[in-house]
Amino acid sequence: MKAIVLREIGGPQRLKYEDVDDPTPSRKEVVVRLHTAALNRRDVFVTYGQYPGIRLPAIPGSDGAGIVVDAGVEVKHVAIGSEVVIYPGLDWGDDVGKKGLHFHILGVPTDGTFAQYVKVPAENVYPKPPHLSWEEAAALPLAGLTAYRALVTKGQVKKGETVLVPGVGGGVATVLVQFAKALGARVYVTSSQDEKIDRAKTLGADGGVNYTEEDWPKKLKELTGGVDLSVDSIGGDVFDKLMSLGRIGSRIVTFGATKGPVPQLVMPKLFLKEITVLGTTMGSPQEFREMLALVERHRIRPVLDNTYPLTDVSVAMHRMEKGDNFGKIALSIP
């Protein structure tokens, strides 16, 4: 089969399009012929060696959708020919509330979806939502699951609450806007580009501010009246501003830190407002099922930025690195 292989660290330009052996399923595994894969920032970090557990050579990629073409002898509940989307978490464990010690994500060190075929445990494939295209289905898993767990399981969002999604534009952030709106929240965003704020409004956002403007937190406070739940992937000096925006008893859920460590945390804001801070990563198989049900119930479609052929994966990654994308970047599998 054809696949994208990382044999040495050094950035997306190190990725090679090669012939590798087709995967063979074990007794409890299936092989999926992939129609489409999708990018995550994790894939970019892996090429620079900025992710734990990397073993080379490896086939990156966590997101994918396709058709089951082979199955192990003990697989009974998945039929050959099934159209599926892949749950990218491996070995979550028995506790829905927290991942186990052996949890990891498909695509380095376990070979991933930047290939014509991928093998995964049979329990990791779920029926493709019928209203989604192959590109939309591939774009959903990691971003959708991360957003669902952050918003619902950890954030405990309630109808009528005000939700803030800082730095809208990436895959998780755009899904967060859609999910929060579907669940009855008022949704606000920030971005360095007015165009991205306007596009977020087409997804259901009630408003937003450009964080390059002076006193943007004050403007956002006037616009929202205060925030009940912030779902943050930025960190850095933005985190303290989120606490300033939070109402008494509000929550901040964090799943990333693209701006690095928080330089100065003003503790009185945290305890005087009784703000709860929660961390989250990915999600359990149960949450993946619940997320798919939400997507089908509200007929939500992940936002697609661009689709590139698999051979242009390095170009696609550079677009993600520059932050030019709005929504998910998909890869068409030959």
Side-chain angles (χ1 to χ4, degrees):
M1 69 174 182
K2 296 292 187 180
I4 296 297
V5 182
L6 180 67
R7 296 190 178 277
E8 56 181 320
I9 299 301
Q13 65 273 16
R14 299 295 186 184
L15 295 168
K16 304 297 181 184
Y17 186 63
E18 301 181 4
D19 287 305
V20 300
D21 292 337
D22 292 354
T24 302
S26 68
R27 300 173 69 86
K28 297 182 179 181
E29 292 179 322
V30 296
V31 173
V32 177
R33 174 61 167 98
L34 292 155
H35 274 259
T36 319
L39 289 185
N40 293 285
R41 285 201 172 273
R42 175 183 189 272
D43 303 314
V44 178
F45 295 155
V46 164
T47 68
Y48 289 106
Q50 298 171 342
Y51 206 88
I54 298 172
R55 293 198 300 267
L56 302 180
I59 299 172
S62 303
D63 283 337
I67 296 175
V68 175
V69 294
D70 198 2
V73 295
E74 293 185 22
V75 177
K76 306 299 182 185
H77 69 286
V78 180
I80 302 298
S82 299
E83 296 186 350
V84 298
V85 59
I86 297 170
Y87 163 62
L90 299 170
D91 296 322
W92 176 270
D94 298 327
D95 190 342
V96 175
K98 64 177 184 295
K99 58 183 177 286
L101 293 176
H102 301 294
F103 174 77
H104 60 289
I105 300 172
L106 184 67
V108 184
T110 302
D111 283 344
T113 58
F114 293 174
Q116 290 179 312
Y117 298 90
V118 65
K119 69 173 181 177
V120 294
E123 62 192 18
N124 280 63
V125 296
Y126 291 77
K128 169 185 167 291
H131 72 285
L132 298 183
S133 68
W134 284 114
E135 291 80 9
E136 291 166 337
L140 182 62
L142 197 146
L145 180 56
T146 299
Y148 183 87
R149 183 173 174 85
L151 189 67
V152 178
T153 307
K154 293 296 186 88
Q156 295 288 297
V157 67
K158 299 176 182 64
K159 185 177 181 179
E161 287 191 321
T162 298
V163 173
L164 173 62
V165 181
V168 76
V172 180
T174 52
V175 175
L176 276 166
V177 172
Q178 293 173 289
F179 283 4
K181 198 63 182 178
L183 293 168
R186 299 169 65 238
V187 187
Y188 292 86
V189 301
T190 70
S191 175
S192 62
Q193 301 176 36
D194 291 339
E195 179 188 0
K196 289 188 176 182
I197 295 172
D198 290 338
R199 292 190 67 181
K201 290 178 181 177
T202 69
L203 300 177
D206 294 275
V209 298
N210 190 316
Y211 62 73
T212 64
E213 297 178 6
E214 189 176 356
D215 294 331
W216 69 263
K218 182 179 178 181
K219 294 177 182 177
L220 192 56
K221 186 69 170 287
E222 292 172 352
L223 188 63
T224 62
V227 174
D228 298 298
L229 171 62
S230 293
V231 185
D232 180 45
S233 64
I234 299 174
D237 59 359
V238 171
F239 196 84
D240 187 63
K241 295 177 175 64
L242 298 182
M243 291 199 298
S244 297
L245 288 162
R247 292 175 173 148
I248 293 174
S250 59
R251 294 93 68 204
I252 301 174
V253 179
T254 173
F255 66 92
T258 56
K259 290 194 70 174
V262 179
Q264 183 177 356
L265 191 63
V266 182
M267 291 300 292
K269 292 180 185 178
L270 186 65
F271 59 75
L272 289 176
K273 285 188 173 183
E274 301 190 40
I275 293 174
T276 301
V277 179
L278 304 123
T280 187
T281 305
M282 277 284 287
S284 67
Q286 177 179 322
E287 289 163 318
F288 192 73
R289 286 193 297 271
E290 293 170 357
M291 182 272 293
L292 290 177
L294 176 68
V295 166
E296 290 201 43
R297 187 164 63 249
H298 293 277
R299 299 190 67 80
I300 293 168
R301 294 180 178 274
V303 178
L304 292 174
D305 175 77
N306 268 301
T307 300
Y308 293 84
L310 184 62
T311 50
D312 287 348
V313 62
S314 297
V315 177
M317 283 194 179
H318 285 308
R319 178 171 176 80
M320 177 174 280
E321 277 190 288
K322 292 187 293 183
D324 290 340
N325 60 299
F326 186 89
K328 292 282 288 187
I329 297 173
L331 298 172
S332 178
I333 309 295

